[in-house]
Amino acid sequence: VQLQASGGGLVQAGDSLRLSCAASGRTFSTYTIGWFRQAPGKEREFVASITPSAGSVVSTRYADSVRGRFTISRDNAKSTVYLQMNSLKPEDTAVYYCAATTLKYPTFVGQYAYWGQGTLVTVSS
């Protein structure tokens, strides 16, 4: 599966932004999709993930730092996963990456086999 992240930009603290991760490949709906981010000088860290749909049910996971502010969702018909980011803070500034895996609840970089290019999110104070 090939992934392409988009939607980044420059916003002010408190603003919202929605990132998209568009995938190619007929098996998109079978993958868990995750969002990671990497700030300058820091390691890439887990942000959120969403499992494949079981009927209309999906499971989501969030990093503590974004829980309650970010929402991950998927539209299998469009082969796209979204990351809605609200109440953005300057510390959310990073390059955001989407990734795919066949595992169900992975939160480590090494557990994801497929990666898209990053999209830069800059939050000014």
Side-chain angles (χ1 to χ4, degrees), residues 59-101:
S59 293
T60 58
R61 294 290 185 272
Y62 296 95
D64 290 343
S65 59
V66 307
R67 187 175 291 111
R69 299 188 297 123
F70 290 11
T71 302
I72 189 171
S73 61
R74 68 189 300 157
D75 185 339
N76 289 332
K78 295 182 178 180
S79 296
T80 301
V81 169
Y82 304 99
L83 184 68
Q84 178 66 43
M85 306 186 295
N86 299 329
S87 302
L88 283 162
K89 305 175 181 179
E91 50 263 45
D92 293 320
T93 295
V95 177
Y96 283 72
Y97 300 87
C98 59
T101 179

Side-chain angles (χ1 to χ4, degrees), residues 1-2 6 9 13 18 20 26 29 31 34 40 48-49 55 59 61 68 75 77 85 87 89 95 97 104 113-114:
V1 60
Q2 292 183 322
S6 62
R18 189 178 77 161
S20 298
R26 294 180 295 174
S29 62
Y31 286 94
S49 67
S59 293
R61 294 290 185 272
D75 185 339
M85 306 186 295
S87 302
K89 305 175 181 179
V95 177
Y97 300 87
K104 205 168 185 181
Y114 306 97

Side-chain angles (χ1 to χ4, degrees), residues 5-124:
S6 62
L10 172 62
V11 297
Q12 294 185 334
D15 284 351
S16 297
L17 204 58
R18 189 178 77 161
L19 304 183
S20 298
C21 176
S24 62
R26 294 180 295 174
T27 59
F28 167 78
S29 62
T30 66
Y31 286 94
T32 290
I33 304 297
W35 283 99
F36 287 76
R37 66 186 182 186
Q38 188 166 17
K42 295 188 177 181
E43 294 187 351
R44 194 170 298 187
E45 64 175 5
F46 172 78
V47 174
S49 67
I50 187 165
T51 60
S53 303
S56 60
V57 178
V58 296
S59 293
T60 58
R61 294 290 185 272
Y62 296 95
D64 290 343
S65 59
V66 307
R67 187 175 291 111
R69 299 188 297 123
F70 290 11
T71 302
I72 189 171
S73 61
R74 68 189 300 157
D75 185 339
N76 289 332
K78 295 182 178 180
S79 296
T80 301
V81 169
Y82 304 99
L83 184 68
Q84 178 66 43
M85 306 186 295
N86 299 329
S87 302
L88 283 162
K89 305 175 181 179
E91 50 263 45
D92 293 320
T93 295
V95 177
Y96 283 72
Y97 300 87
C98 59
T101 179
T102 55
L103 302 176
K104 205 168 185 181
Y105 303 117
T107 60
F108 296 103
V109 169
Q111 294 176 304
Y112 287 79
Y114 306 97
W115 290 83
Q117 91 295 351
T119 185
L120 176 62
V121 173
T122 304
V123 184
S124 64

